[in-house]
Amino acid sequence: MEECLFCKIVKKEIPAEIVYQDEQVVVFPDINPKKRVHFLIVPSLHIKSFLDLKDKQFEMLTKMAKVIQSLIKENNLESGYQLLFNGGVHQHVPHLHWHLLGD
Ligand code: 5GP
Ligand code: ZN
């Protein structure tokens, strides 16, 4: 079966400017930024959506949130940022991702 787009980015099978990566989390800029700063924060593990998160995966979500705190500070976004999960008809890439948008 063809792997998903963000799994391919995580595995570096398709290019993206990786802003941050550890064993659990990968961050790269959105290809079509809606704000001056627009990062996608994704788990390395393929999880389809927010609703597919299992109890033991919430620790990973906390890890993502900590990475996002650092990104906000490093990019001087303290005065204006948005965090967003899309789901259902609003989610176009079926691999969980957190949008960080900043002015
Ligand atoms: P969603 O609507 O699923 O929450 O958001 C998916 C996001 O992925 C969109 O904002 C879209 O611009 C971004 N995107 C789609 N394809 C690619 C790609 O190949 N590379 C990157 N960096 N972002 C992508
Ligand atoms: Zn995936």
Side-chain angles (χ1 to χ4, degrees):
M1 197 183 77
E2 183 82 347
E3 272 195 345
C4 91
L5 179 63
F6 288 175
C7 280
K8 286 182 175 170
I9 289 178
V10 168
K11 293 180 182 172
K12 301 193 169 71
E13 290 171 6
I14 62 170
E17 182 204 323
I18 304 294
V19 172
Y20 176 89
Q21 183 160 28
D22 63 29
E23 56 294 334
Q24 288 182 299
V25 182
V26 181
V27 182
F28 50 90
D30 195 293
I31 205 166
N32 182 22
K34 309 280 188 297
K35 295 276 181 171
R36 180 177 67 82
V37 175
H38 187 169
F39 290 136
L40 300 173
I41 299 90
V42 313
S44 308
L45 187 68
H46 181 82
I47 299 167
K48 267 195 297 186
S49 74
F50 185 73
L51 281 182
D52 290 294
L53 278 163
K54 305 281 183 282
D55 281 355
K56 64 179 183 207
Q57 293 168 334
F58 278 87
E59 210 173 301
M60 178 272 298
L61 207 65
T62 301
K63 177 67 192 289
M64 289 170 78
K66 288 183 179 178
V67 169
I68 291 169
Q69 281 190 331
S70 299
L71 290 167
I72 290 168
K73 291 172 192 164
E74 285 162 10
N75 290 277
N76 304 310
L77 302 177
E78 290 94 334
S79 61
Y81 60 88
Q82 294 168 287
L83 284 170
L84 177 73
F85 282 118
N86 285 323
V89 296
H90 301 294
Q91 182 179 356
H92 298 97
V93 178
H95 180 131
L96 176 70
H97 50 282
W98 220 330
H99 294 257
L100 169 61
L101 300 127
D103 301 304

